[in-house]
Amino acid sequence: MSAHNEEAPILIEDGLIGNGLMEGGSPDGRSPNGGSIVLEAGPDAAGQRLDQWLAGKLGPDMSRSRVQLLIRQGAVKVGGQPVNETKRKMAAGDRVSVDMPEPEPAEPQGENIALDVLYEDNELIVINKPPGLVVHPGAGNWTGTLVNALIHHCGDSLSGIGGVRRPGIVHRLDKETSGVMVVAKTDRAHKSLSEAFADHGLTGDLKRAYLALVWGIPMRPTGTVDEPLGRAVDRVRRAVVPEGRDDARHAVTHFTVIERFGEQQKQCATASLVECRLETGRTHQIRVHMAHIGHPVVGDPDYGQAFRTKANRLPEPLKGRVKAFPRQALHARLLEFRHPTTHLTMRFEAPVPRDMEELVDGFRKL
């Protein structure tokens, strides 16, 4: 610490401790360029959740989700002791220190990350996204994303989305979901593709098909799940919710059973390879809908936990392979859309990645 920072702490209004307990602090007690800040809880804080109270003190530049991430990362201490429970109740007089990270660039930076490009022209680019690649920078993933890779790959061919040279993300795949994605390179393409995805192909040419390896065998070879989705109790995951709830969003998934596995082996767990076609595009839609009807995606860490023990009913080496599979077995197989300038229908398919293909092959041998 500098000599200045070793001076006695100065208590200022709202329970914020001044530069005496900060590295790299500013005169108002905030720490925009990294370092630590210390806050003292007043009487009104008693009974509040730690994440709520901190977000109120650090806002508006610090969102509650960002505060929750800092808590989970061990960057928050109460009374000098690290805490990682966001719901911890506050008490009057609690002293809370926060190790603030260095600020991230306002705009994503290009990074030399290999891409599997299926098609590219002046208006758009189509890629086969591998599992493990986050689409857009965000809390906990400010670098190493698809957007960073596209900025580097496309360079000056990005004419600008909203006046900024950046790729236009019109739809997303979860980090651990692989498959076909289209990204706009111009404002014109971004507007056209965004409208197509917002319409979900109901009046246009947009088609999306996914392959999912799911537990069990659906009773019917085809079906539709028409259930609204909203936030789950933990506020992180999604769940089927009552239609009238404030956060309920219309969601429809059509599925077709492509293959059935293990149905002749009565002592063995069964599974199915299912094609899912989206009529809407909600967060985690396929994963939540398939789990809702009792057929969660194999390997899904968020919505398939209750089915993990099913792997114990599989023979080796498939049993070990399923237990070791690190993600949900979900792949965006097909994407079809109308080109924003040529108006030609474009169709792209991506092969199932090797790890998922090997998993499916293992089930085929049951």
Side-chain angles (χ1 to χ4, degrees):
M1 281 190 175
S2 67
H4 172 75
N5 281 335
E6 290 174 348
E7 294 174 358
I10 303 171
L11 186 64
I12 61 177
E13 61 179 332
D14 292 330
L16 191 62
I17 305 286
N19 289 347
L21 290 185
M22 291 194 303
E23 284 282 353
S26 60
D28 68 352
R30 301 192 183 277
S31 183
N33 297 316
S36 299
I37 62 173
V38 178
L39 304 103
E40 183 173 288
D44 292 344
Q48 289 190 44
R49 285 175 44 145
L50 174 60
D51 59 344
Q52 280 182 313
W53 183 79
L54 262 184
K57 294 300 181 184
L58 299 176
D61 297 329
M62 182 72 69
S63 69
R64 185 170 169 182
S65 60
R66 181 64 172 142
V67 168
Q68 290 174 337
L69 179 64
L70 289 174
I71 293 172
R72 295 190 187 102
Q73 290 176 335
V76 177
K77 298 177 182 178
V78 178
Q81 298 299 313
V83 294
N84 53 25
E85 176 54 56
T86 60
K87 298 179 182 179
R88 182 194 187 280
K89 297 299 184 182
M90 296 291 297
D94 277 346
R95 284 201 172 191
V96 181
S97 63
V98 185
D99 294 329
M100 301 293 289
E102 293 293 329
E104 300 291 337
E107 291 295 333
Q109 304 298 303
E111 296 179 47
N112 188 8
I113 300 170
L115 291 173
D116 182 2
V117 179
L118 303 179
Y119 174 83
E120 183 176 8
D121 61 23
N122 292 332
E123 298 285 337
L124 55 86
I125 182 171
V126 181
I127 62 107
N128 177 19
K129 187 187 90 66
L133 181 64
V134 176
V135 170
H136 201 281
N141 294 287
W142 295 108
T143 61
T145 72
L146 175 61
V147 166
N148 298 112
L150 288 168
I151 291 173
H152 178 274
H153 173 87
C154 297
D156 291 339
S157 67
L158 290 174
S159 68
I161 305 298
V164 180
R165 288 190 185 277
R166 63 185 177 198
I169 303 298
V170 296
H171 69 125
R172 301 190 187 195
L173 297 178
D174 294 339
K175 175 183 177 181
E176 299 299 348
T177 298
S178 57
V180 188
M181 282 189 64
V182 60
V183 179
K185 296 169 67 175
T186 68
D187 262 325
R188 175 172 54 185
H190 188 252
K191 181 176 185 296
S192 175
L193 291 170
S194 294
E195 290 173 350
F197 277 88
D199 182 63
H200 306 299
L202 295 177
T203 59
D205 299 322
L206 181 71
K207 294 180 182 178
R208 288 178 287 174
Y210 294 70
L211 285 178
L213 179 64
V214 303
W215 287 113
I217 299 173
M219 295 179 61
R220 295 178 296 173
T222 62
T224 297
V225 186
D226 185 350
E227 297 286 353
L229 300 183
R231 289 191 179 274
V233 175
D234 62 11
R235 309 291 295 172
V236 176
R237 295 177 297 172
R238 297 299 188 271
V240 169
V241 300
E243 189 169 348
R245 214 170 81 172
D246 289 345
D247 65 333
R249 297 293 182 267
H250 179 57
V252 180
T253 303
H254 306 283
F255 68 87
T256 300
V257 178
I258 305 300
E259 294 184 64
R260 300 169 177 81
F261 309 118
E263 58 184 340
Q264 304 303 322
Q265 308 291 332
K266 293 187 178 181
Q267 302 302 316
C268 183
T270 59
S272 305
L273 186 64
V274 175
E275 181 182 85
C276 296
R277 290 187 177 252
L278 296 179
E279 188 174 310
T280 57
R282 307 301 179 193
T283 301
H284 299 177
Q285 179 175 317
I286 292 174
R287 298 164 61 190
V288 177
H289 271 171
M290 295 309 295
H292 178 69
I293 63 172
H295 302 288
V297 179
V298 173
D300 193 325
D302 297 315
Y303 307 103
Q305 285 288 346
F307 284 68
R308 289 185 65 183
T309 57
K310 281 192 174 290
N312 294 328
R313 296 175 52 200
L314 296 171
E316 293 288 6
L318 180 58
K319 174 182 174 180
R321 186 172 293 168
V322 171
K323 286 190 171 184
F325 198 71
R327 62 186 183 88
Q328 65 266 9
L330 181 63
H331 175 69
R333 180 186 69 83
L334 177 144
L335 178 62
E336 186 174 302
F337 59 91
R338 185 181 292 274
H339 194 282
T341 54
T342 68
H343 305 297
L344 296 175
T345 298
M346 309 191 74
R347 179 186 177 96
F348 299 94
E349 296 189 49
V352 175
R354 179 177 297 178
D355 64 342
M356 182 173 165
E357 185 61 38
E358 290 176 348
L359 194 64
V360 173
D361 284 341
F363 276 97
R364 287 187 178 119
K365 295 173 182 177
L366 289 178

